[in-house]
């Protein structure tokens, strides 16, 4: 009898657990709506700013594709996702979404039809946004041109291809609430904090991730990795050896070339171009907030051993032939856009060579109608041995006490990543 009671208890617990798990993994659909909707011009203008601040087009517009129609591949450790169409097309976009459905997606990561969104969509950060901003963003998106662009099939690895399992991820990591102002801080500081931690979701790239793709607890903004680039720590920027001033950071955030640091490249380039379209006060607020953050020592800040460049004459010759036309003292391009000497850029003064090498390999492509520098790609014209010599020589100009010791391995990895 005792054994039977134990089996009954175990079965009851198993049944209860199964019911609880199913309840956790199920969300109801929200009824579709009929368009058209109408919004006033002031709300549409506010919504345009929110969508720009949230970097929506950066992920939801593929190269050569139509604005916000999706299709951009997002490579993650768990497989490849394709961004979705967020134009108001009723069949392939969000044209049938009500404001409550949009709010649920932004705050909880649940689509209108009830399926779970992958946290590559930064709803963990968007849930910190105000309801007014979300309503304004909805108005702007629903008032744009509808583009018929069916979603591409994601290629996620097992078990992450089972969407309902995201519910357990949410249970662990979806805890943020809308931000409230810190009364002892300035209005600009609070605005900067809101933009960084809410719509801008800066921690999504600039924080290290754990094994299941969530930001590591207690290490927000301490530096991360995205698309093969090092996203540097945003902590202690005002207190580093190569520190940032408010003027420098505002210019960098707005896609300008900054003396002593260079220009935004890689995934940060489209973000900075978007910020350049917002009022300058937003970039100033972001700078005020970021420059107030304290320093935190990370592994990436541990200096390497010093060493002399292996062949300084070869490095100088490569610089003269490949780089001097734009970067040497007195080069015309330095007068045109104010670009700094290479030894003063953040990429060459960083502890890792990855961002410098990525910039040389990929260049900085021109953005039609957008400001900023242009740099050709050297991936085909310089081999790994030449790049190693050049990087070693340039690093010695910038940080003679801290050489890069992992150049060949980093170059091999970067070449593999682009195949």
């Amino acid at each position: 009898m005792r054994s039977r009671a134990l089996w009954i208890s175990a079965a009851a617990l198993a049944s209860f657990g199964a019911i609880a798990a199913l309840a956790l993994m199920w969300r109801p659909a929200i009824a579709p709506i009929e368009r058209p909707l109408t919004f006033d011009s002031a709300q549409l203008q506010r919504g345009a700013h929110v969508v720009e601040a949230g970097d929506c087009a950066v992920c939801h517009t593929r190269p050569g594709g139509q604005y916000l129609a999706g299709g951009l591949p997002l490579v993650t450790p768990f497989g490849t996702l394709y961004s979705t169409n967020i134009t108001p097309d009723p069949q392939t976009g969000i044209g049938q979404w009500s404001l409550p459905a949009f709010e649920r997606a932004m705050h909880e990561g649940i689509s209108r039809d009830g399926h779970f969104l992958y946290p590559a969509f930064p709803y963990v950060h968007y849930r910190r946004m105000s309801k007014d901003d979300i309503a304004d963003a909805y108005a702007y998106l629903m008032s744009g041109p509808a583009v018929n662009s069916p979603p591409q099939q994601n290629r996620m690895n097992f078990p992450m291809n089972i969407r309902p399992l995201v519910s357990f991820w949410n249970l662990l990591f979806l805890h943020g609430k809308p931000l409230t102002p810190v009364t002892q801080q300035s209005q600009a500081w609070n605005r900067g904090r809101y933009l960084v931690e809410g719509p801008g979701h800066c921690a999504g790239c600039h924080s290290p991730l754990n094994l299941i793709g969530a930001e590591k607890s207690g290490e927000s903004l301490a530096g991360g990795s995205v698309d093969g680039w090092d996203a540097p720590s945003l902590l202690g920027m005002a207190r580093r050896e190569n520190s940032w001033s408010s003027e420098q950071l505002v210019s960098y955030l707005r896609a300008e070339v900054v003396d002593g640091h260079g220009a935004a490249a890689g995934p940060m380039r489209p973000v900075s171009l978007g910020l350049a379209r917002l009022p300058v006060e937003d970039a100033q607020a972001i700078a005020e907030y970021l420059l107030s953050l304290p320093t935190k020592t990370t592994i990436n800040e541990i200096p390497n051993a010093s060493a002399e460049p292996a062949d300084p004459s070869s490095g100088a010759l490569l610089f003269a032939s490949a780089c001097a036309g734009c970067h040497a003292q007195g080069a015309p391009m330095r007068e045109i856009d104010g670009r700094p000497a290479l030894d003063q850029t953040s990429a060459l003064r960083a502890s890792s060579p990855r961002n410098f090498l990525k910039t040389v390999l990929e260049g900085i492509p021109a953005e039609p109608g957008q400001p900023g520098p242009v740099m050709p790609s050297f991936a085909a014209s310089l081999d790994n041995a030449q790049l190693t010599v050049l990087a070693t020589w340039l690093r010695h100009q910038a940080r003679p006490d801290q050489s890069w010791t992992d150049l060949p391995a980093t170059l091999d990895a970067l070449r593999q990543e682009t195949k």
Side-chain angles (χ1 to χ4, degrees), residues 307-315 388-389 392-393 396:
E308 292 292 326
D311 188 350
S313 62
S314 296
T388 297
V389 171
T392 300
W393 184 78
H396 188 72

Side-chain angles (χ1 to χ4, degrees), residues 17-18 20-27 116 123 162-175 212:
L22 287 172
L24 183 66
M25 293 188 290
W26 179 82
R27 294 293 186 276
F116 285 82
Y123 55 87
I162 305 173
R163 279 186 183 265
L165 293 180
V166 176
S167 60
F168 296 98
W169 191 97
N170 291 344
L171 187 64
L172 293 171
F173 304 113
L174 187 60
H175 303 305
I212 53 176

Side-chain angles (χ1 to χ4, degrees), residues 225-311:
S225 179
V226 56
D227 294 342
W229 293 76
D230 286 334
S233 171
L234 301 182
L235 304 177
M237 297 180 70
R239 302 166 186 82
R240 299 175 183 171
E241 182 178 353
N242 188 29
S243 61
W244 291 77
S245 69
S246 177
E247 294 77 12
Q248 287 174 323
L249 187 51
V250 169
S251 296
Y252 181 89
L253 289 170
R254 291 175 59 80
E256 299 172 15
V257 181
V258 180
D259 187 29
H261 293 283
M268 187 62 196
R269 187 71 190 158
V271 174
S272 65
L273 289 170
L275 285 171
R277 290 187 283 269
L278 294 177
V280 68
E281 290 80 10
D282 280 346
Q284 292 168 342
I286 292 172
E288 180 172 334
Y289 174 67
L290 290 178
L291 293 177
S292 75
L293 298 178
T295 302
K296 179 173 181 175
T297 302
T298 65
I299 292 176
N300 288 336
E301 293 169 350
I302 298 174
N304 294 318
S306 62
E308 292 292 326
D311 188 350

Side-chain angles (χ1 to χ4, degrees), residues 57-231:
V58 174
C59 287
H60 288 277
T61 307
R62 64 177 177 82
Q66 292 182 272
Y67 181 63
L68 299 178
L72 181 75
L74 304 172
V75 180
T76 78
F78 314 103
T80 300
L81 296 166
Y82 290 89
S83 63
T84 54
N85 180 357
I86 56 171
T87 74
D89 181 68
Q91 280 74 45
T92 66
I94 61 169
Q96 295 184 343
W97 289 43
S98 63
L99 176 58
F102 186 76
E103 287 177 340
R104 185 174 72 167
M106 295 287 281
H107 281 164
E108 301 177 34
I110 309 296
S111 182
R112 185 197 68 78
D113 64 5
H115 77 256
F116 285 82
L117 303 173
Y118 286 109
F121 174 63
Y123 55 87
V124 169
H125 300 279
Y126 289 161
R127 72 186 281 111
R128 296 171 181 165
M129 294 172 60
S130 69
K131 284 196 169 187
D132 286 344
D133 273 0
I134 289 176
D136 291 343
Y138 173 79
Y140 175 77
L141 293 174
M142 294 295 280
S143 298
V147 179
N148 187 276
S149 179
Q152 296 195 50
Q153 187 66 39
N154 295 325
R155 301 196 303 270
M156 297 297 286
N157 304 323
F158 179 83
M160 293 308 294
N161 58 342
I162 305 173
R163 279 186 183 265
L165 293 180
V166 176
S167 60
F168 296 98
W169 191 97
N170 291 344
L171 187 64
L172 293 171
F173 304 113
L174 187 60
H175 303 305
K177 296 180 179 179
L179 294 173
T180 55
V182 178
T183 55
Q184 61 266 37
Q185 295 289 353
S186 69
Q187 183 177 355
W189 186 95
N190 277 292
R191 173 65 175 167
R193 174 180 175 238
Y194 177 79
L195 290 169
V196 167
E197 298 187 13
H201 58 278
C202 302
C205 291
H206 289 272
S207 301
L209 303 181
N210 60 26
L211 292 176
I212 53 176
E215 295 159 24
K216 289 185 177 179
S217 178
E219 297 190 41
S220 179
L221 302 178
S225 179
V226 56
D227 294 342
W229 293 76
D230 286 334

